Amino acid sequence: MSDCIFCKIANGEIPTDMVYEDDLVVAFKDVNPLTPVHVLVVPKKHYANIVDNVPAEVLAAMAHAIDVVTKQYGLDKTGFRCITNTGDDAGQSVHHFHIHILGGRKLDPEAGEGKK
Ligand code: 5GP
Ligand code: ZN
């Protein structure tokens, strides 16, 4: 999608703090981090959200990226949270499917961290 910020980041049109990349997926630091580690895992192709017919191989690539990135930051030892806001009630603000990786401190078990 031509006016989508995450499409532009994924195709290199807008430079960003990239932490992982493969053929299907990129991962980069959130511009407004809510936790000491706040990384977004984003498919290179545009899907509106997690229920937008995302192919299994893309979901698998995203899971692999989460594995690599969390190990990169040592979060495999401490724990972390993954969330994907979907639609209005969740407050999704970028309508290109992405998974937040949140970690680097104790997360509130009650609050849906990753949302203000
Ligand atoms: P959502 O609210 O859709 O779940 O999450 C969108 C996330 O994207 C927010 O946490 C926001 O800070 C982040 N974000 C929005 N625009 C940009 C950008 O241009 N660059 C980066 N790195 N993150 C962005
Ligand atoms: Zn997009």
Side-chain angles (χ1 to χ4, degrees):
M1 277 182 100
S2 55
D3 62 343
C4 170
I5 186 91
F6 284 2
C7 281
K8 288 180 180 166
I9 289 174
N11 70 25
E13 226 178 294
I14 296 177
T16 196
D17 226 338
M18 208 60 87
V19 297
Y20 175 84
E21 179 168 12
D22 64 24
D23 288 349
L24 296 173
V25 166
V26 292
F28 51 87
K29 292 183 184 173
D30 196 293
V31 73
N32 179 27
L34 299 173
T35 49
V37 179
H38 188 170
V39 171
L40 303 172
V41 176
V42 178
K44 286 186 171 177
K45 278 187 71 174
H46 185 95
Y47 305 95
N49 56 48
I50 194 172
V51 287
D52 186 18
N53 297 307
V54 186
E57 62 167 356
V58 173
L59 294 169
M62 293 175 83
H64 177 69
I66 291 166
D67 184 39
V68 172
V69 169
T70 52
K71 286 191 172 113
Q72 209 167 297
Y73 287 99
L75 300 183
D76 56 318
K77 311 271 193 306
T78 56
F80 58 92
R81 182 173 295 158
C82 290
I83 61 156
T84 180
N85 294 312
T86 306
D88 290 345
D89 278 4
Q92 183 179 1
S93 60
V94 177
H95 294 273
H96 178 134
F97 175 37
H98 53 282
I99 296 176
H100 298 252
I101 301 173
L102 299 155
R105 66 163 164 79
K106 205 90 175 159
L107 300 169
D108 185 343
E110 301 290 330
E113 301 225 41
K115 220 54 241 179
K116 300 97 225 166

